[in-house]
Amino acid sequence: MKHSRNYPVYTVTKKAEHSIALGHPWVYAEEITRLPDTPPENGALVDVYSGRGSYLGTGFLSLSSKIRIRLLSRNANDRFDEAFWRRRVEYAW
């Protein structure tokens, strides 16, 4: 079951949607088609959606980079708590 999410939503192009589906972890600034009404702070977690409203992933927002969003997860049920970060570090290790 998908958890309720309070992250700002960014909608992306079909090209970005395709890249994300193939595993690419970045969303470029020019691939964003819709921004949230209230811009989040630099470094905030944001959700990425397709033009049809399908969840694609969650990542960190970078307002000063051409790579606007760096995806952390494609799982809508992930919670970005201590357990999430522990799993990621252990997997990387």
Side-chain angles (χ1 to χ4, degrees):
M1 177 167 86
K2 184 179 171 187
H3 295 293
S4 173
R5 303 179 75 85
N6 294 322
Y7 301 127
V9 172
Y10 283 75
T11 304
V12 297
T13 63
K14 286 195 177 285
K15 178 185 174 203
E17 182 180 347
H18 181 71
S19 294
I20 291 168
L22 293 175
H24 198 278
W26 297 343
V27 175
Y28 295 97
E30 65 270 7
E31 296 174 329
I32 296 171
T33 59
R34 195 173 322 138
L35 306 168
D37 293 334
T38 305
E41 290 184 25
N42 195 38
L45 283 171
V46 298
D47 282 340
V48 177
Y49 280 80
S50 72
R52 296 177 311 224
S54 298
Y55 172 82
L56 300 174
T58 301
F60 285 120
L61 177 67
S62 178
L63 297 173
S64 59
S65 173
K66 289 182 182 182
I67 303 169
R68 195 53 44 103
I69 301 169
R70 289 166 170 85
L71 294 177
L72 297 171
S73 174
R74 291 178 184 84
N75 183 341
N77 292 316
D78 270 343
R79 292 185 184 193
F80 302 98
D81 56 8
E82 184 179 336
F84 172 84
W85 294 107
R86 182 178 305 282
R87 279 192 317 274
R88 296 295 297 259
V89 169
E90 287 175 354
Y91 178 76
W93 182 256

